């Protein structure tokens, strides 16, 4: 990669020559951008902030991104930095955002076992988490409680609050390295035992903004289906995870279903084989401490069902705080995450609920690699259906 000249203490990052002809890196305040530590390559920053080298139209931006992606330039930058911020691209609404996101050429992600309601506003575009403005959503990888997770997450800031509402950025690569150094016995146990994730799905909406059974698994339901047929169709959707005995389910007396997965909390980055902590453990812990409740009807233990000591998860959350920067939104910002190696969240904000409007778009890529020989350690893409 061709280096971009920078002031000694200004973290701008690097750009390949072909990208530098269209986008230029720029510095953000130190609270919003940081130099990444090992195992990231020297010169890596998060997020890498980019803006057009000259004023461009949306058509020109889409065409440029599509051309750059013919050789995977932006995908390579994501694998190095974990997150890219695009500012100054003329995206004004969900339809514009959809065009921008699809220009990267990734396959849209289908969420199986949806836990948060996501109405589609444009092709593969939905509102981001719409829980109350007072709610802290701590750093996590997207969809750590299910086997089939997206690799790329796109966010578009349509409306930005005056105070608060930032989106955290932290490295899953750094998190693994720090945890291995500071709580190695925890990493050893995660590698040997995995994580047991049980998610309860109810027939009705189980909380504001949550989903129903039909939204989660009932996409094939017909109006005249009897109960037995509905259950069979739900089970067919669960089987699409393609994980055999590592995914099981149990029907409840009220017609709901509890789906249990044995999952790898440690995965490896495609292309490098570097281990990452792919998890929401710290987020579940912080949510309980800060918000006083458990989210999404999810419980997580070691893979054998034994509880994970709080001291480990507490330290994991503390390390995450130490390696986190907060993206301060400006209207029109486009934030792109490599979900395998970078975690995100959401901070509370002051003002009205409507003062912050962020849209999301999820895409698939190469599945992360396994960290260990166990059957549950392998990440797989969902079966077609």
């Amino acid at each position: 990669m061709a280096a971009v000249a920078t002031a000694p203490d200004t973290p701008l990052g690097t750009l390949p020559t072909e990208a530098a002809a269209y986008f230029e890196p720029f510095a953000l305040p130190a609270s919003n951008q940081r130099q990444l530590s090992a195992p990231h390559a020297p010169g890596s920053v998060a997020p890498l902030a980019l803006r057009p080298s000259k004023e461009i139209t949306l058509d020109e931006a889409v065409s440029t991104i599509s051309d750059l992606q013919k050789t995977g330039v932006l995908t390579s930058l994501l694998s190095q930095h974990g997150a890219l911020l695009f500012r100054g691209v003329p995206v004004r609404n969900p339809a514009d955002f959809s065009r921008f996101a699809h220009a990267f050429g990734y396959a849209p992600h289908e969420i199986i076992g949806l836990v948060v309601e996501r109405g589609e506003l444009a092709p593969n575009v939905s509102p981001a988490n719409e829980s109350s403005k007072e709610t802290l959503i701590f750093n996590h990888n997207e969809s750590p409680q299910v086997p089939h997770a997206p690799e790329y997450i796109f966010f578009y800031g349509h409306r930005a609050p005056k105070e608060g509402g930032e989106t955290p950025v932290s490295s899953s690569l750094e998190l693994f390295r720090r945890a291995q150094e500071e709580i190695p016995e925890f990493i050893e146990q995660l590698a040997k035992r995995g994580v047991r994730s049980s998610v309860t799905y109810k027939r009705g909406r189980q909380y504001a903004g949550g989903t129903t059974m039909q939204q989660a698994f009932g996409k094939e339901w017909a109006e005249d289906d009897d109960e037995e047929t509905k259950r069979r169709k739900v089970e067919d959707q669960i089987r699409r995870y393609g994980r055999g005995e590592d995914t099981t389910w149990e029907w409840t007396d009220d017609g709901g279903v509890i789906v249990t997965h044995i999952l790898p909390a440690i995965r490896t980055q495609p292309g490098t084989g570097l281990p990452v902590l792919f998890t929401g453990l710290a987020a579940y812990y912080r949510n309980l401490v800060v918000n006083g409740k458990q989210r999404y009807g999810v419980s997580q233990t070691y893979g054998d069902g034994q509880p994970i000591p709080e001291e480990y998860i507490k330290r994991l959350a503390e390390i995450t705080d130490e390696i986190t920067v907060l993206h301060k939104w400006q209207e029109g910002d486009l934030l792109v995450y490599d979900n395998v190696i970078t975690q995100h969240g959401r901070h509370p904000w002051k003002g009205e609920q409507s003062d912050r409007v962020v849209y999301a778009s999820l895409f698939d890529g190469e599945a992360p690699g396994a960290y260990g020989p166990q059957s549950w350690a392998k990440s797989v893409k969902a079966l077609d259906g």
Side-chain angles (χ1 to χ4, degrees), residues 77-91:
L77 287 174
L78 277 167
S79 71
Q80 176 186 348
H81 299 275
L84 306 178
L85 166 65
F86 291 85
R87 182 170 286 170
V89 177
V91 168

Side-chain angles (χ1 to χ4, degrees), residues 65-66 69 74-75 78 84 86 99-106 154 336:
I65 289 169
S66 179
Q69 282 292 78
L74 299 177
T75 298
L78 277 167
L84 306 178
F86 291 85
R99 291 188 60 203
F100 169 84
H102 281 85
F104 283 69
Y106 305 133
F154 290 71
V336 187

Side-chain angles (χ1 to χ4, degrees), residues 183-257:
I183 41 177
E185 64 279 11
F186 180 41
I187 295 300
E188 181 182 1
Q189 292 304 311
L190 286 179
K192 289 167 59 175
R193 300 157 77 179
V195 170
R196 184 179 187 269
S197 174
S198 291
V199 186
T200 299
Y201 299 90
K202 298 182 179 180
R203 281 298 174 92
R205 197 175 307 282
Q206 48 189 325
Y207 55 87
T211 58
T212 65
M213 171 77 74
Q214 185 168 4
Q215 290 170 318
F217 294 114
K219 72 172 190 173
E220 301 294 338
W221 283 6
E223 286 188 16
D224 58 351
D225 281 346
D226 58 27
E227 185 63 23
E228 183 180 350
T229 301
K230 286 182 177 179
R231 287 197 176 197
R232 176 180 57 78
K233 290 182 175 180
V234 166
E235 292 173 356
D236 286 345
Q237 290 297 309
I238 296 173
R239 290 189 184 95
R240 289 181 58 205
Y241 286 128
R243 304 185 73 250
E245 63 183 13
D246 295 322
T247 290
T248 58
W249 61 91
E250 175 187 359
W251 290 97
T252 62
D253 293 340
D254 59 1
V257 66

Side-chain angles (χ1 to χ4, degrees), residues 31 38 54 60 76 113-114 129 178 187 229 235 245 303 305 345 375:
S31 57
K54 62 178 182 178
E60 290 171 331
S76 178
L114 183 69
N129 192 297
R178 286 282 304 273
I187 295 300
T229 301
E235 292 173 356
E245 63 183 13
S375 62

